[in-house]
Amino acid sequence: MTVLEQPGAYAPAPPPSWRPRTDAGPLLPDTEPYRVLGTRVAARQDDSGPDAELLRRLYAAVVRGRRFNEQATALTRQGRLAVYPSSRGQEACQVAAALALGEHDWLFPSYRDTLAAVARGLDPVEVLSLLRGDWHHGYDSPSTRVAPLCTPLATQLPHAVGLAHAARLKGDEVAALALVGDGGTSEGDFHEALNFAAVWQAPAVFLVQNNGFAISVPLAKQTAAPSLAHKAVGYGIPGRLVDGNDAVAVHEVLCEALDRARAGGGPTLVEAVTYRLEAHTNADDATRYRTDDEVEAWRAHDPVTLLEHELRGRGLLDEATVREAEEAAEQQAAKLRERMHQDPSLDPTQLFAHVYAEPTPQLRDQADRLRAELAAGEETR
């Protein structure tokens, strides 16, 4: 059985040096195809393509996302954030993921997916709370249906499967969309989540944002698989390979996978080939493991530019629309900047809130000692 890319499927340009081979024949020699990988670009040319309103929403959200990344990076340099893992260059993946979700679906983001949470409708300041060093993770997950930003690699994936499985058992039409990087696919949690999801036929979709590096480790040193999407074959689920810088294509593939999940068709693994244009975080020196030429080559495949060309080609974008999107993005950045420059009023005793439903004796003792120290400090002033 072979795994084939659809005819006319997009091949990321320029081909990154770290991309492994794509010929699955030697690995899966049977002639009958198991799953189809790739994106149908031909559908873009007829009436079955995305509607104008969706394209405009995607464009406005991607432009806001690019400005959000720029502003958050600046806030880090100004000391208002402890760290910021930029998703500049990956905006198409994150915006498409947020817009593909239904009202009752859940998003399970990683630490780099702040933009996806903001595009989902969350307060940007609350989304950045974890990276600011404020208490807990900043927003109410049950009401927003966005799980906490997950720093340990891939640990959010089994959580997504558990929630999706529970929803299926209850009869709720809910799907869980879990985001993970290519580095996360090297973790045991990735295997466990996909295996459980496949066996239980859980309504979960896994979006792997393959940006080429797990910090400094290139993909070729993580796996010998033809693509990460091919890993779906081993779990008996569909695998899709898509250009992660093409917001329309990512949205199309994710909507299809989420619809299938809600309808009882089980999980899907989607690999979006993309690239982070900035360093892993502000603490990383990316020049030690990749060249400027490689980065510049990917700038030529920028997701904002690609989407702008798509809309202009369809006659859906003029200078007034561009200015409107840019002004909205700047307004969001200005509000974020103003609020993040306000020093928060913090209560140290809140460290002990929401840790357990009933505080343990150790926590009560620590809380009492902290209150005593705070009281003593007030007396000496």
Side-chain angles (χ1 to χ4, degrees):
M1 112 186 126
T2 56
V3 181
L4 306 174
E5 293 189 7
Q6 291 185 1
Y10 182 83
S17 59
W18 40 260
R19 189 183 183 197
R21 56 195 171 84
T22 57
D23 180 13
L27 301 178
L28 303 170
D30 295 346
T31 57
E32 184 67 23
Y34 178 66
R35 297 297 181 194
V36 177
L37 305 177
T39 307
R40 285 186 296 271
V41 294
R44 305 275 194 89
Q45 309 304 321
D46 56 35
D47 293 339
S48 64
D51 60 48
E53 181 59 29
L54 171 62
L55 287 169
R56 291 192 181 100
R57 286 181 63 206
L58 283 169
Y59 176 73
V62 167
V63 171
R64 286 197 306 271
R66 173 59 55 85
R67 187 66 185 92
F68 176 83
N69 269 316
E70 293 171 348
Q71 185 60 71
T73 299
L75 288 167
T76 307
R77 294 179 181 137
Q78 295 162 4
R80 290 297 176 177
L81 291 176
V83 66
Y84 183 67
S86 175
S87 59
R88 183 183 178 93
Q90 299 180 217
E91 291 94 346
C93 290
Q94 303 207 8
V95 165
L99 269 58
L101 290 166
E103 179 184 357
H104 301 295
D105 294 336
W106 272 76
L107 176 68
F108 284 79
S110 74
Y111 59 88
R112 195 177 301 280
D113 301 319
T114 50
L115 175 55
V118 173
R120 178 71 164 150
L122 272 65
D123 182 340
V125 173
E126 292 183 354
V127 172
L128 293 174
S129 288
L130 176 68
L131 303 174
R132 191 181 192 182
D134 287 357
W135 67 292
H136 300 292
H137 72 277
Y139 52 87
D140 179 34
S141 288
S143 64
T144 61
R145 295 186 175 241
V146 178
L149 296 173
C150 187
T151 301
L153 293 187
T155 57
Q156 75 275 22
L157 304 187
H159 301 163
V161 175
L163 183 141
H165 181 53
R168 188 179 68 84
L169 292 177
K170 291 175 63 178
D172 296 337
E173 286 193 13
V174 172
L177 175 58
L179 277 54
V180 67
D182 51 287
T185 66
S186 298
E187 297 288 330
D189 301 79
F190 175 81
H191 159 75
E192 292 157 7
L194 266 70
N195 199 51
F196 273 119
V199 171
W200 290 338
Q201 287 293 283
V205 176
F206 305 93
L207 173 60
V208 179
Q209 297 175 80
N210 175 10
N211 65 23
F213 293 93
I215 305 183
S216 60
V217 180
L219 182 66
K221 291 187 177 181
Q222 296 183 66
T223 180
S227 76
L228 295 174
H230 282 75
K231 291 180 180 288
V233 174
Y235 300 102
I237 65 175
R240 299 297 303 275
L241 182 65
V242 64
D243 175 15
N245 285 12
D246 185 335
V248 180
V250 177
H251 185 269
E252 176 187 337
V253 170
L254 290 179
C255 283
E256 178 185 287
L258 288 165
D259 287 344
R260 179 178 176 276
R262 293 188 213 99
T268 303
L269 173 64
V270 178
E271 177 191 359
V273 179
T274 183
Y275 194 83
R276 59 170 168 81
L277 293 173
E278 295 184 351
H280 177 69
T281 69
N282 54 296
D284 173 42
D285 180 6
T287 62
R288 299 181 64 181
Y289 55 85
R290 66 184 192 184
T291 65
D292 291 342
D293 288 344
E294 178 177 310
V295 177
E296 288 306 312
W298 276 94
R299 287 189 194 279
H301 196 59
D302 183 273
V304 179
T305 305
L306 286 180
L307 192 54
E308 184 174 325
H309 288 168
E310 174 92 11
L311 267 71
R312 288 190 185 279
R314 290 174 174 269
L316 300 175
L317 189 65
D318 54 24
E319 294 307 315
T321 307
V322 172
R323 284 196 303 273
E324 181 182 349
E326 291 176 346
E327 288 171 2
E330 190 55 49
Q331 289 175 8
Q332 181 189 63
K335 290 179 182 177
L336 175 62
R337 186 167 57 246
E338 178 184 0
R339 293 175 63 194
M340 291 295 288
H341 280 299
Q342 298 173 0
D343 291 328
S345 177
L346 302 178
D347 179 3
T349 61
Q350 287 290 309
L351 287 169
F352 304 98
H354 309 297
V355 180
Y356 293 102
E358 293 293 333
T360 64
Q362 293 87 348
L363 281 179
R364 286 196 295 268
D365 177 62
Q366 292 172 22
D368 290 343
R369 281 189 287 162
L370 175 59
R371 280 189 285 267
E373 290 180 14
L374 293 173
E378 288 294 328
E379 293 176 358
T380 58
R381 289 183 180 179

